[in-house]
């Protein structure tokens, strides 16, 4: 069973290597769908075999790698990691199906996404700092080229901005890792990159503070938290559809995952100390980003700001240091991954058909694209937290948990969610409804449009089904996530 | 007379003589054949290393063979072989071709191999001079180009100053201790201190550390690009193997050696990295990057710690692999009509040469120190080694300098991939030798990054038994 995790991580990379030699478009695409389906099945098997009543990490694999530096190949998952892995595998499968029709350099495109899949799965399962950092950085280069090659008009600017921000962040992360490893060396006399050993070590407060800030900057850029969020709207606006889906669905979760996996258990006192700071930034992100979203005219920019707002809720829930809130934060990572993925698919579909993201150029599409209108609606409602869909459970848990400990903060953040309903419904109105405001000749053009094709329906169906399941019967998932909460907060 | 100990050098010398005489008859027309002959010599010499029995001493104690020096020689031979086989097409394409080139590379290599197999300052000097003089010639080979002449002249003048410092240093050491052996006992004599100081300066000059770096950018830029890749790799490896030995036995006898070395190192790191930002030629940029790297390497010599030193040697070797790859890409590109290594030439290169520019990006990413490329492991082990020796300040300076360096490498990558192509040029043909070198260096840089243990253990084992 343990070996399956390793297989799931490296299978995409292996296939990327194979297709870069074969270089046949259809073998590459078909194989990528097959590989990602296999990865999804493996992660499903792991998920079903995960015993959430047992404490600690499961499916642990440990192989000595560079013994002189105390580096080992060590992977394993807890409740949060296995859920994120399952979601990652699902989104990549959806992305490969969606990209069936891509024509511009398809082999390179597929290979880059496969490399990205390996890096993402690796980040969520690595339990060794060195391994973690390799996967963390390994995500950077494929994403850079995905934005830079297949993006829209200002792709170079967006790709560079993305690269500079995240690279800058990961340098801080590297310094943070170095600081705890150096401390560990002075403490025990041997170098170790083993996360499990470091989590047990217990650092003094000064080091916790320092390392929390260094790690925190690295993670905050990735999430992104206010005020280092400005790269995200640009990256999303310019990225191709599939790139946006992965960026919003998976990459942003790496930052919050990092907070839960590294910052909370390794620096518990510093985490408590920085709660007011994180709360302030989170609440600013929730409300400010939601207001920014209302002001947008560009669909993707709007969804990007809504992502920032939702990630603010995740950080809020993470640092409430309370069981329910942490469960909710992890739930929100999954729920937001699904809903923002579906929303970016929807935006991409609109662009495919009408070649514009500007709401001024849209309107009244619901009559001509009925199936799409339904999918778009469900995706959006999942995002704004309608009961019965995944987002609701997440927001409810976060607010419930935060309210127990910090009622005022919970109240302020709650207002942000009302704004969330506002911006989505406003966008839906201006793109899909408002038919009477659309000029006649544009309506004539609309009537030529083709509705969803099979390679669009399948991704939507997969993602939205999971969103429904998570919303209607959340208990098993909450159980699995509270596995992490027990691990991190004790009890 | 123990001939077996001299086996690699003998084979190499025989090869050099054969190529020398053949060249008199065959001339330029058979340049490619002569290069291949040189490559075969190198391969034969590298193989013969496995048949040398060590430890051994010969030539009246002046020539010693140990596992450490054999390892160094093997790496030097491998790198020179790659330089040689990737160079022939470049020189055939230039109108001023000299068929002496193959054996000049080999003579320089022979010099370094001699330099590394002696514990005697005088014999080290002989090897050093043999290599240095050959390299002056190699830099100045493009007789019709001003830059090449200028570079060679600067290299000659400054290099000779270094040589004389070396001689003066060893003379002072001899005067004070009565011995030229590297493993001398040291002395409290100020004359001895001066001697060591001159040696440090001379070698700092040879590895182009600040403030003795002035020849580097010009020599690197002016030299024919395959020679630049030789200059940036083979001497580096050789000098660091030598420096490790000298630091162990000689420099550490001088109490203040740490401070001098640290000042030189930190100055080189920051000077090299900041100056690299100001460059408009990628070839010159890599020259400044090598100055910065000289700083990183020398920094690891601030402490007599075998672990740190073996980390240093690992880093030097993988740095050499990455640099060799990068310069090989440049030398392929230089075959294009009107190519000048200026940043503007690199604009949108990906459209014209997807494979070459991806390879260059790989090597530059490696030089930044992005995992999983091998240089990251090198940087990490130096960093941890410095920390272990309570040199936390140096470790932090090293980390900061490495971070600063990321920007200029990225600039090249951005120009290649994300800018539109402005000047269309006829694509360059990649010769078999060049593609072999590129493949091998590319695979090595990844392989050594993912499985560094093999080479590291080898270096450590031989160093501990030195």
């Amino acid at each position: 069973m343990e070996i399956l995790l390793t297989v799931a991580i490296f299978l995409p990379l292996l296939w990327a290597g194979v297709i870069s030699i074969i270089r046949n478009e259809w073998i590459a695409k078909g194989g990528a769908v097959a590989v990602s389906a296999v990865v999804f099945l493996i992660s499903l098997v792991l998920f079903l075999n995960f015993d959430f009543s047992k404490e600690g990490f499961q499916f642990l694999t440990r192989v000595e790698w560079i013994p002189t530096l105390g580096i080992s190949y060590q992977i394993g998952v807890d409740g949060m990691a296995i859920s994120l892995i399952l979601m990652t595998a699902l989104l990549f499968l959806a992305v490969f199906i969606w990209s069936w029709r891509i024509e511009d350099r398809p082999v390179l495109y597929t290979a880059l996404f496969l490399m990205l899949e390996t890096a993402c799965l690796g980040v969520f399962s690595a339990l060794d700092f060195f391994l973690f950092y390799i996967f963390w950085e390994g995500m950077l280069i494929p994403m850079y080229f995905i934005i830079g090659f297949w993006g829209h008009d200002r792709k170079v600017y967006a790709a560079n901005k993305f690269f500079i921000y995240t690279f800058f962040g990961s340098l801080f992360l590297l310094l943070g890792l170095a600081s705890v490893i150096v401390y560990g060396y002075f403490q025990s006399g041997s170098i170790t990159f083993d996360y499990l050993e470091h989590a047990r070590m217990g650092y003094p407060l000064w080091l916790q503070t320092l390392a929390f800030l260094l790690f925190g900057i690295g993670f905050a850029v990735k999430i992104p938290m206010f005020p280092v969020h400005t790269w995200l709207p640009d990256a999303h606006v310019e990225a191709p559809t599939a790139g946006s889906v992965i960026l919003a669905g998976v990459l942003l979760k790496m930052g919050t995952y990092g907070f839960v996996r590294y910052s909370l258990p390794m620096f518990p006192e510093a985490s408590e100390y920085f709660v007011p700071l994180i709360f302030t930034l989170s609440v600013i992100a929730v409300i400010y980003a939601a207001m920014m979203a209302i002001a947008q005219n560009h669909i993707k920019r709007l969804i990007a700001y809504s992502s920032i707002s939702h990630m603010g809720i995740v950080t809020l829930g993470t640092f409430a240091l309370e069981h329910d809130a942490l469960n909710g934060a992890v739930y929100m990572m999954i729920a937001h991954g699904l809903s923002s993925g579906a929303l970016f698919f929807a935006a991409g579909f609109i662009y495919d058909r009408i070649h514009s993201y500007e709401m001024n150029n849209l309107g009244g599409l619901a009559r001509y694209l009925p199936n799409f209108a339904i999918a778009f609606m469900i995706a959006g409602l999942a995002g704004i937290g309608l009961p019965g869909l995944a987002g609701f459970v997440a927001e409810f848990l976060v607010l419930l948990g935060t309210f127990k400990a910090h009622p005022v903060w919970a109240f302020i953040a709650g207002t942000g969610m009302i704004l969330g309903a506002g911006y989505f419904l406003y966008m839906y109105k201006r793109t899909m409804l408002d038919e009477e405001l659309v000029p006649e000749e544009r309506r004539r053009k609309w009537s030529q449009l083709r509705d969803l094709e099979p390679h669009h329906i399948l991704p939507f169906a997969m993602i939205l089904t999971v969103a429904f399941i998570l919303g209607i019967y959340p208990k098993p998932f909450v159980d699995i996530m509270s596995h992490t909460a027990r691990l991190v907060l004790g009890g | 007379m123990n001939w077996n100990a001299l086996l690699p050098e003998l084979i190499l010398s025989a090869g050099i003589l054969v190529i020398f005489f053949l060249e008199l008859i065959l001339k330029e027309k058979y340049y490619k054949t002569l290069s291949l002959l040189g490559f075969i010599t190198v391969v034969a010499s590298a193989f013969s290393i496995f048949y040398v029995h060590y430890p051994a001493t010969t030539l009246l104690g002046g020539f010693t063979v140990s596992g450490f020096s054999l390892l160094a020689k093997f790496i030097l031979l491998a790198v020179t072989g790659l330089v040689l086989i990737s160079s022939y097409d470049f020189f055939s394409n230039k109108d001023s071709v000299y068929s002496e080139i193959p054996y000049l590379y080999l003579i320089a290599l022979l010099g370094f191999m001699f330099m590394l197999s002696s514990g005697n300052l005088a014999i080290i000097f002989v090897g050093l001079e043999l290599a240095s003089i050959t390299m002056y010639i190699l830099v100045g080979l493009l007789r019709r180009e001003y830059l090449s002449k200028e570079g060679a002249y600067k290299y000659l003048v400054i290099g000779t100053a270094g040589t004389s410092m070396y001689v003066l240093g060893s003379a002072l050491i001899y005067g004070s201790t009565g011995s030229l052996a590297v493993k001398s006992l040291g002395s409290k004599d100020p004359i001895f201190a001066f001697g060591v100081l001159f040696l440090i300066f001379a070698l700092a000059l040879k590895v182009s550390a600040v403030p003795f770096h002035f020849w580097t950018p010009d020599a690197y830029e002016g030299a024919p690009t395959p020679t630049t890749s030789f200059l940036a790799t083979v001497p580096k490896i050789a000098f660091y193997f030598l420096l490790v030995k000298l630091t162990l036995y000689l420099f550490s006898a001088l109490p203040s050696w740490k401070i001098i070395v640290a000042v030189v190192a930190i100055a080189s790191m920051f000077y090299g990295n900041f100056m690299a930002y100001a460059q408009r030629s990628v070839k010159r940029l890599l020259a400044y990057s090598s100055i910065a790297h000289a700083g990183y390497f020398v920094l690891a010599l601030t402490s007599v710690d075998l672990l740190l030193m073996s980390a240093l040697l690992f880093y030097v070797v993988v740095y050499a692999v990455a640099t060799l790859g990068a310069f090989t890409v440049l030398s392929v590109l230089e075959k294009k009509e009107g190519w000048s290594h200026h940043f503007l030439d690199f604009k949108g290169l990906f459209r014209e040469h997807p494979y070459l520019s991806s390879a260059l990006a790989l090597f530059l990413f490696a030089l930044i120190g992005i995992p999983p490329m091998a240089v990251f492991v090198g940087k990490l082990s130096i960093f941890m080694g410095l920390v272990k020796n309570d040199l936390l300040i140096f470790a932090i300076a090293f980390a900061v300098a490495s971070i600063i360096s990321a920007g200029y490498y990225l600039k090249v990558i951005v120009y290649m991939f994300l800018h539109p192509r402005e000047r269309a040029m006829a694509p360059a043909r990649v010769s078999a030798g060049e593609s072999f070198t590129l493949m091998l260096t590319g695979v090595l840089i990844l392989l050594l990054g993912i499985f560094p243990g093999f080479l590291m253990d080898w270096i450590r084992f031989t160093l501990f038994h030195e």
Side-chain angles (χ1 to χ4, degrees), chain B residues 1-7 9-10 13 56-65 73 110 113-120 122-124 126-127:
Chain B
M1 190 74 192
N2 181 355
W3 293 107
N4 176 264
L6 287 165
L7 198 56
E9 283 82 2
L10 284 178
S13 318
T57 308
T58 187
L59 297 180
L60 307 173
F63 190 95
T64 45
V65 178
K73 282 179 200 172
L110 184 67
M113 284 168 65
F114 253 92
M115 184 179 91
L116 286 175
S117 28
S118 179
N120 184 308
I123 293 180
I124 291 175
V126 174

Side-chain angles (χ1 to χ4, degrees), chain A residues 137-397:
Chain A
E137 288 281 330
M139 169 280 321
L140 193 56
I141 294 169
M143 198 65 215
Y144 175 69
F145 286 130
I146 286 169
I147 299 176
F149 283 165
W150 288 274
H152 303 297
D153 305 339
R154 289 163 70 234
K155 55 192 177 189
V156 176
Y157 168 76
N160 283 344
K161 195 166 176 181
F162 164 76
F163 192 94
I164 291 166
Y165 265 82
T166 30
F167 192 70
F168 178 79
S170 48
L171 289 175
F172 279 95
L173 179 64
L174 184 64
L175 290 180
L177 288 172
S179 69
V180 295
I181 289 160
V182 168
Y183 177 80
Y185 168 72
F186 282 128
Q187 214 52 22
S188 65
S190 65
I191 299 174
T192 176
F193 281 69
D194 187 341
Y195 165 73
L196 297 174
E197 269 181 52
H198 275 276
R200 275 196 301 270
M201 205 173 274
Y203 308 114
L205 188 60
W206 65 268
L207 180 72
Q208 284 195 20
T209 318
L210 175 75
F212 182 89
L213 285 174
L214 290 172
F215 275 77
I217 292 172
F219 296 145
V221 169
K222 195 59 129 272
I223 291 176
M225 283 171 85
F226 181 84
V228 282
H229 63 279
T230 53
W231 63 269
L232 187 75
D234 284 315
H236 270 311
V237 165
E238 302 305 330
T241 305
S244 286
V245 171
I246 296 303
L247 186 60
V250 183
L251 263 53
L252 304 192
K253 308 302 173 296
M254 288 181 180
T256 47
Y257 170 86
F259 270 129
V260 180
R261 168 71 73 250
Y262 296 97
S263 300
L264 288 185
M266 283 163 59
F267 323 120
E269 288 144 43
S271 301
E272 222 162 306
Y273 178 77
F274 282 111
V275 162
L277 175 70
I278 301 271
F279 270 18
T280 315
L281 294 179
S282 307
V283 167
I284 291 177
V286 170
I287 292 175
Y288 163 78
M291 288 164 98
M292 285 299 284
I294 292 178
Q296 298 308 318
N297 188 32
H298 188 289
I299 313 175
K300 279 183 116 179
R301 197 173 274 275
L302 188 149
I303 308 172
Y305 275 110
S306 88
S307 290
I308 300 171
S309 174
H310 279 106
M311 295 316 275
I313 297 175
V314 178
T315 45
L316 188 79
T318 307
F319 282 88
L321 304 178
E322 204 277 340
H323 263 249
D324 288 332
L326 188 58
N327 280 344
V330 179
Y331 216 98
M332 186 59 136
M333 292 187 211
I334 312 289
H336 175 257
L338 298 171
S339 67
S340 66
L343 279 175
F344 276 116
F345 274 137
F349 179 78
I350 292 178
Y351 187 80
D352 277 355
R353 290 290 184 258
I354 300 169
H355 304 291
S356 173
Y357 287 121
E358 300 292 331
M359 288 185 217
N360 292 341
N361 302 334
L362 304 171
L365 285 168
R367 175 191 292 275
Y368 307 103
L369 303 170
N371 296 342
F372 170 69
I374 295 170
F376 191 16
M377 192 70 206
I378 300 176
L381 292 178
I384 62 178
L386 187 81
L389 285 160
F392 172 71
V393 183
E395 288 185 4
F396 182 75
L397 281 172

